[in-house]
Amino acid sequence: IDVGEVNGAVFLCTSMVGVFPLLARRRERERHDKNPLKWISAAIATIAALRRHSPSLLRLDSGKEFERVKTYAVIVTNNLYEGDIFGPSLKRTVLDGGMLVVHIAKQESPLGMMLLLAELFLGNWRGDPELDIKEVQQLNVHTGRKRSLNVMNDGEVLLLETPLHYRILPRALNVLVPA
């Protein structure tokens, strides 16, 4: 199967830049919380994080296309996903397509981003006109003055130096399948 890579760190599913790594750090702190209302707390924390952190100004360069974006999140997936992000229907029909799929959230307000998160949860995210989706084989993500960014690869938060260099490694991982 294909493997994604950013600055030498591999990912099998997703790599996220922006507000998602910050939310993941909070999730880790509250992982063992037994409070049955922790989902409400998580929603409130998400709203607070979006209000506290302004969108990042990034330059995205795929080698074929160059774009400046103001965004709360860029999600790079190893091949194309279909279905709702948080449900059982999320799947990849191809594991060896040789493509990175870049999802750029172009919402400019915390409310817009919350609406996108709701669409992700409900599975209606593909039709959002403020979610730009592109297929690439490589992507360089440049920041203004920041020398490093929090990046979440498959749920693990890493601090990586900028620019971020994404690439797909076609068929880099051999998988044994029982007969």
Side-chain angles (χ1 to χ4, degrees), residues 37-156:
L37 301 177
K38 70 180 176 181
W39 293 108
I40 295 171
S41 173
I44 293 168
T46 300
I47 293 167
L50 289 170
R51 292 182 72 198
R52 227 179 10 257
H53 300 282
S54 58
S56 299
L57 297 172
L58 303 174
R59 293 186 323 267
L60 308 177
D61 181 4
S62 68
K64 295 179 181 176
E65 186 178 349
F66 178 83
E67 183 177 8
R68 293 178 194 273
V69 297
K70 183 178 179 181
T71 182
Y72 280 102
V74 173
I75 302 171
V76 179
T77 63
N78 176 359
N79 291 295
L80 182 65
Y81 277 85
E82 296 174 358
D84 54 319
I85 296 292
F86 301 110
S89 68
L90 182 67
K91 62 184 175 207
R92 287 181 285 181
T93 56
V94 176
L95 299 175
D96 59 355
M99 284 295 188
L100 296 172
V101 181
V102 183
H103 305 77
I104 306 161
K106 294 198 170 181
Q107 289 75 6
E108 293 191 13
S109 70
L111 177 61
M113 195 62 194
M114 285 301 296
L115 291 173
L116 174 62
L117 291 172
E119 289 174 341
L120 290 170
F121 187 77
L122 297 172
N124 300 331
W125 55 281
R126 287 210 172 272
D128 189 319
E130 293 187 43
L131 182 63
D132 199 6
I133 301 174
K134 303 171 186 290
E135 291 187 7
V136 300
Q137 291 183 317
Q138 67 169 1
L139 179 71
N140 294 317
V141 179
H142 302 269
T143 61
R145 296 182 185 158
K146 288 186 178 181
R147 294 181 181 222
S148 60
L149 281 177
N150 284 307
V151 177
M152 185 170 63
N153 281 359
D154 294 333
E156 179 183 356

Side-chain angles (χ1 to χ4, degrees), residues 20 31 55 69 89 123 143 147 157 160-161:
F20 290 114
R31 177 179 236 162
V69 297
S89 68
T143 61
R147 294 181 181 222
V157 180
L160 299 178
E161 289 184 14

Side-chain angles (χ1 to χ4, degrees), residues 1-5 8-12 78-79 92 95-100 167-176:
I1 65 172
D2 297 343
V3 173
E5 180 186 75
V10 299
F11 60 95
L12 298 179
N78 176 359
N79 291 295
R92 287 181 285 181
L95 299 175
D96 59 355
M99 284 295 188
L100 296 172
R167 66 183 182 143
I168 191 78
L169 304 173
R171 298 178 179 229
L173 181 62
N174 292 321
V175 178
L176 299 176

